[in-house]
Amino acid sequence: MTPSPRPASRRTVLTAFAAAATAGAPLLGQLAAAAPAAAAADPGEYASNTALYKDPALVEGTSYGRRFKRHPAADSDLTAKAAYPRTAILALHGGGIEIGTSELALGIAGYDPGAVTDKAEPILPSTHDYFLFEGLLSSGNKALHVTSRNCDDHVALSLAASHLNVLSLHGCQYDQLGMPEPMVWPPSSDPRLAVVGGLNAEFRAALVREISAAGIPVVDAFDSRYLNRLQDFNGSHVTNPCNLTMLRKGAQIEMTTELRQSLFGDSGSRSRRAATWDASGGRFEAFRDACRRAIATVEATQPIL
């Protein structure tokens, strides 16, 4: 989740948190140097990815992991324009931090959502570049959360800066949204909801339209009916990687825990999600394909210059 308040007690999960988070963590990396300075971090989380990576209590590959895919592109023909990747998919809080976002990012990118290593293989005819930051701890992964607007991972920022569009996936809790009671959706009291944000209004509209058509409850965070309630979930900050694109605007989706859980046969662990993404009665595929249709709609209006 992008601006989620976190209790200070989370610091006890990682012994070296205080030193790493307060000892002069840097501003955003060179790729975001022109953007406003990073906002103050929540007192219960790391001030930046840099601060997290420097924490001696954490080991990459054990505590957390990073995966990305940038597809090769080249143009050696002086007489024609070559295609290039226009959309990147991000899961900045994947793995055990905001469950389901890693698998969804891989799926929307066209890759096998069940891959738990960097060996994800394409399973759809078209693919997108992607970046995943994943919590790998056996418990306490929420301590690895870095607010999106403070992300300074060089690969994540370079992907955003080199694409026209970014779709960033996040998780939230329904009761954090402050939505009115009628927004608890049938057929049960299960509060499944997707909140679409980001500064690209056309991208948001396409996502809302396609996700709704797939039968999944969704709202636009900028809808006047919900704007005041969802201002902390609308992905509008200019240093949010979803908006650090070539167009300086993009999209993100906040998904409630109940929605993300419903997209898997068993969402209880990373390995179970990997094994049951295709055992949800088609809900995972419906969400994935809705996002891919929205991306295709937006890309169709973006000719190669």
Side-chain angles (χ1 to χ4, degrees), residues 29 100 125 163 169 175 187 204 218 238 247 249-250 260 276 288:
H163 288 73
L169 303 175
D175 58 7
R204 291 201 317 271
V218 59
V238 294
L247 302 176
K249 59 183 180 180
R260 286 173 283 130
T276 65
R288 175 197 68 188

Side-chain angles (χ1 to χ4, degrees), residues 7 14 17 19 21 28 60 95 98 102 113 143 147 151 163 191:
L14 301 170
F17 171 84
L28 292 174
E60 185 161 9
E98 292 169 358
S102 290
T147 298
C151 174
H163 288 73

Side-chain angles (χ1 to χ4, degrees), residues 276-290:
T276 65
W277 67 268
D278 57 353
S280 67
R283 288 184 294 274
F284 184 101
E285 293 90 335
F287 192 97
R288 175 197 68 188
D289 294 346

Side-chain angles (χ1 to χ4, degrees), residues 108 167 194 196 201-220 253 259 263 282-300:
I108 295 168
L167 176 59
V196 178
E202 294 78 14
F203 201 173
R204 291 201 317 271
L207 285 164
V208 170
R209 181 172 59 252
E210 295 293 349
I211 292 172
S212 178
I216 298 167
V218 59
V219 297
D220 186 331
I253 307 176
L259 173 57
L263 302 180
R283 288 184 294 274
F284 184 101
E285 293 90 335
F287 192 97
R288 175 197 68 188
D289 294 346
C291 292
R292 285 175 61 84
R293 287 193 298 271
I295 291 169
T297 297
V298 171
E299 289 189 345

Side-chain angles (χ1 to χ4, degrees), residues 15 95 125-126 177 188:
T15 59
S126 63
L177 300 175
S188 67

Side-chain angles (χ1 to χ4, degrees), residues 129-144:
D129 294 351
Y130 63 81
F131 170 85
L132 316 175
F133 175 86
E134 301 177 277
L136 304 179
L137 298 170
S138 59
S139 63
N141 281 285
K142 291 188 183 303
L144 302 174

